Amino acid sequence: MTIFHYVNGTFVPEKEAYVSALDLSVLRGYGVFDYVQIYQGKAFHLQDHLERFKWSAEQVELTFPWDLSSLSQLVDELLAKNPPIDAGVRLLLTGGPSGQDQLLPETAPQLILLFHPYTPPPERYYTKGMRALTTNLLRIIPGVKTTNYMPAIFAMNRAKKTGFDDAIYLNGQEELLEGTISNLFFFKNGKLITSDSNSIVKGVTRANLLQLAAPYFPIEFRSLPLSEVSSCQEAFLCSSRKEVAPLVQIDDKIIGSGKPGPCSAKLLSLFQNYVANYFAETHQPSC
């Protein structure tokens, strides 16, 4: 199966997708990205991801000379060149080639669109639930999807080495914020609780789930203290790739029964139905 990517103006096969070693994303970790889930060759909530991609670039003062309709067309062209499969498209804006000081950009940023065939998370995430460690390392620029993921890499390495599945960011007040690549939710006494802090990336999946949950659960926006975990009945992580993945343990604290619960299962079902209806409604033939 031949996979194509888009690199700074050209669609190229995977083995030709290169970026300069002098690019500031390589030298200094200067860049932003976003990730769009693809279902059978169709992009899910593409406009929302494009808007967040542009917003991220603005927050780190990266030039963004494209209009969103042009970017949307590029994504459509990329999808047309690849198989119509479950996948992901990573939108990447790098700092561009550096000047002589190797610190400031010398030319315009580089736009890269990467097509990733989808590998689903392990089935046990949904049948047995995920387990996560906490980490006091925090994102470099909270809320912005930068390419600097060193805190997440350190935290995930530690989690995997000790038999855990993920890591949860913990702020200075011992409050739980989010996973390394996912948002975090808890169920406590019938309420759905999630952080609304400016220190988290507010995901597109998170926004969809909040809308889907509103008719069924009261929603409380706050960062849950670590000390409160044991009094919660359920928890889950959500992202474009995971959708809704039950979380049954944080550090040594067991959540609820220690097994995936019915409220998380209900939200997963609601989300999957929403995905199916989304494509049925947005890809209907015109009269």
Side-chain angles (χ1 to χ4, degrees), residues 253-284:
K253 301 177 187 298
I254 302 300
I255 302 167
S257 67
K259 298 178 181 179
C263 296
S264 300
K266 181 178 182 65
L267 278 183
L268 175 59
S269 177
L270 287 170
F271 184 78
Q272 291 176 335
N273 288 336
Y274 173 72
V275 171
N277 291 332
Y278 175 86
F279 289 113
E281 292 170 2
T282 56
H283 292 91
Q284 289 229 356

Side-chain angles (χ1 to χ4, degrees), residues 18 75-76 132 136 138 151 178 201 214 233 243 269:
Y18 298 115
V75 172
D76 288 343
N136 295 110
L138 295 176
E178 61 182 340
V201 173
Q233 287 75 53
E243 296 186 341
S269 177

